[in-house]
Amino acid sequence: MLLGKEKFKSLGKNYLGVDMVYNETKTNKIYDEISNLLLKEIAVGDLGVSKGKYLLKKIYELYDEGNKEFEQYASCKKGCSHCCCLYVDCTAVEAELIREYVENNFTEEEKDVFKDKIDKILPLLPTSSEINENSAHALNYLKEKIPCAFLCEEGTCLIYPVRTFNCRKFLTITPNEECANGTHVVKLNPSINNIGMYSISMLSMNITRYKKLSVPNGSEFKALYKGIPSWFKDGFKEIYRNKE
C-alpha cells in the first residue's frame, strides 16, 4: 500500500483483531541507518569502551525509534512484566552500560539489594554453554518464574533506559493472560531486530577490551552472550569477563 511517497505493509491481525499496518519506508530507513553505523564506525575495529558505549546507545536510539511502528500493536504494557522471568542474555558492552548506569544511579544499599538477588539467581541460571547446547535449559529456567534482579515490586524495570537489546525486541501480540501462563506466546520480529542483533554482536567483539569474549558461530565468530546476572558475579565495579 502506497501513501504519498511512503510504503505501508501489514503483518496481519494482532490479539485484538487490529490490522498491524506499519510504515515499511520508515523501517527500511532505520535499517539502513543502523547498517551505515555498522559499516562506518563499528567494523573499523579496535574501539575503546567509551566509544563502544556511545555506539551502543546510538543503536538503541535508532532501534527504539523504528520499533515504535510495532509497539502500538503489542499486548506489552508497563507493569505486566510476565517476560521478566525469561532467561535473557547480552553482550559485554551491553553489560558494561548496565554496570555504569547502576553505579551512577543507585545507592550502595540499593546495589547490595541487586547483588543479593543476583547471588540467589546465579545457582539456577543456565550457563551460556548450556544454552548453546540445548535451548531446553532456557525453558526450564522460565518454569522457575524467577524475577529479573532489576525488576521492582511494582513490575517495572529499574534499568529501563539501558535494558538489553533482547529486552527491547521482546514484543508479543499474545493476550496478556496467555503471556502470564506462558502457554502460547507470539512475538513480532521485524527486520530491524536482525540488523540490531548483528551490529551489537560486532560492536562488542570490536571493542579491544572484549575481543576475547567471542565464540564460534559456524565459519565465523559472534560475541559471547551470557545471562545478565553472570556479568555481575563480582558486583558493579567491573563486569565479570571470564567465560563460563
Side-chain angles (χ1 to χ4, degrees), residues 46-76:
D46 294 323
L47 301 169
V49 174
S50 295
K51 179 70 171 181
K53 287 186 289 188
Y54 166 78
L55 292 172
L56 177 61
K57 290 176 183 177
K58 287 292 294 180
I59 294 171
Y60 282 170
E61 180 183 327
L62 288 167
Y63 177 79
D64 290 347
E65 180 61 29
N67 213 29
K68 288 177 183 177
E69 287 289 309
F70 308 97
E71 286 176 344
Q72 59 184 315
Y73 303 116
S75 56
C76 309

Side-chain angles (χ1 to χ4, degrees), residues 126-177:
T127 66
S128 55
S129 297
E130 288 172 334
I131 292 294
N132 288 333
E133 290 169 5
N134 191 341
S135 60
H137 289 292
L139 182 59
N140 291 335
Y141 181 76
L142 173 61
K143 292 176 181 177
E144 297 292 333
K145 296 291 184 183
I146 304 169
C148 173
F150 301 110
L151 187 70
C152 74
E153 292 182 2
E154 290 74 27
T156 56
C157 178
L158 293 170
I159 58 166
Y160 192 78
V162 293
R163 67 198 186 283
T164 69
F165 189 79
N166 276 331
C167 294
R168 290 168 196 266
K169 73 183 182 68
F170 195 94
L171 282 181
T172 176
I173 54 171
T174 304
N176 191 268
E177 60 273 12

